[in-house]
């Protein structure tokens, strides 16, 4: 039977002694850990941990600037790997103000047609919002309103949800 201390004494890589997820609110630790390959009892690899972090980013659910992986010495001589996550908020509402001759349902339908994955209940992703802004501008141009300015406002309504409003202004 090999123990952490035995392996360390033999010059082997330290083992992953523990695996933790902190900071999650909506997703369970089990859901988050399903995306990573690092496992307790296996040799610790910084490269694998970095790959795990990239796998979490690839889900599109986490803030890339605030989510990180750290490793600490474990009590048995191994390594404890900790994923500190910050989940991106969800979009609770999408509004478009000052539409002329269009309704919000038509705008949301155009977002779907143009593969802009911006939906109520979806993750708030600024690049998607910019793409939606562009699609809305194209829609208004096609409907005879070429001189519009479209801005957007994101407002957190709680720590996990926010509302998105597109404001349309027409040139006089």
């Amino acid at each position: 039977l090999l123990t952490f201390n035995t392996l360390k004494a033999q010059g082997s890589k330290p083992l992953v002694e523990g695996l933790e997820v902190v900071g999650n609110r909506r997703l369970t630790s089990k859901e988050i850990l399903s995306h990573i390959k690092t496992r307790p009892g296996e040799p610790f690899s910084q490269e694998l941990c970095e790959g795990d972090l990239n796998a979490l980013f690839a889900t599109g659910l986490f803030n890339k600037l605030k989510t990180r992986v750290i490793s600490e010495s474990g009590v048995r001589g191994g390594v404890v790997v900790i994923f500190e996550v910050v989940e991106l908020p969800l979009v609770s509402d999408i509004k478009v103000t000052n539409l002329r001759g269009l309704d919000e349902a038509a705008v949301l339908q155009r977002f779907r047609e143009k593969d802009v994955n911006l939906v109520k209940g979806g993750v708030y992703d600024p690049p998607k919002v910019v793409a939606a802004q562009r699609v809305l501008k194209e829609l208004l141009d096609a409907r005879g309103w070429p001189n519009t300015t479209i801005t957007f406002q994101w407002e957190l309504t709680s720590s996990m949800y926010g509302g998105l409003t597109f404001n349309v202004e027409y040139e006089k």
Side-chain angles (χ1 to χ4, degrees):
L1 180 66
L2 294 176
T3 66
F4 285 100
N5 290 333
T6 303
L7 285 169
K8 193 171 183 182
Q10 294 174 349
S12 298
K13 280 186 162 185
L15 297 180
V16 175
E17 186 173 309
L19 199 51
E20 299 175 14
V21 175
V22 296
N24 49 321
R25 293 177 161 215
R26 283 189 321 272
L27 299 170
T28 66
S29 293
K30 184 177 180 181
E31 289 171 318
I32 294 168
L33 292 173
S34 72
H35 296 279
I36 68 162
K37 295 179 180 176
T38 299
R39 294 288 178 249
E42 295 183 2
F44 172 75
S45 165
Q46 185 65 39
E47 294 79 20
L48 183 58
C49 289
E50 293 299 324
D52 290 338
L53 185 62
N54 288 329
L56 290 179
F57 292 151
T59 67
L61 300 172
F62 301 97
N63 183 314
K64 291 181 179 181
L65 299 176
K66 296 180 180 177
T67 297
R68 64 188 188 140
V69 61
I70 58 173
S71 55
E72 297 178 349
S73 296
V75 295
R76 298 180 302 195
V79 176
V80 176
V81 178
I82 304 166
F83 289 89
E84 291 182 353
V85 299
V86 176
E87 296 168 272
L88 292 171
L90 299 179
V91 178
S92 60
D93 196 23
I94 301 173
K95 295 180 184 175
V96 185
T97 65
N98 203 20
L99 283 173
R100 294 183 180 172
L102 283 173
D103 62 8
E104 287 182 15
V107 172
L108 296 176
Q109 175 63 31
R110 182 58 64 101
F111 289 170
R112 283 190 293 277
E113 290 170 0
K114 295 290 186 172
D115 292 323
V116 176
N117 190 18
L118 184 66
V119 295
K120 292 178 185 178
V123 172
Y124 174 70
D125 183 4
K128 289 180 188 175
V129 175
V130 171
Q133 187 180 23
R134 186 189 74 251
V135 167
L136 179 55
K137 174 79 171 128
E138 291 169 0
L139 177 62
L140 290 169
D141 288 353
R143 295 288 177 110
W145 298 100
N147 300 317
T148 58
T149 302
I150 300 165
T151 58
F152 63 88
Q153 180 178 358
W154 170 252
E155 184 178 342
L156 282 174
T157 54
S158 74
S159 62
M160 297 187 336
Y161 295 93
L164 182 61
T165 303
F166 291 95
N167 300 301
V168 180
E169 296 177 21
Y170 300 86
E171 187 175 289
K172 298 187 190 253

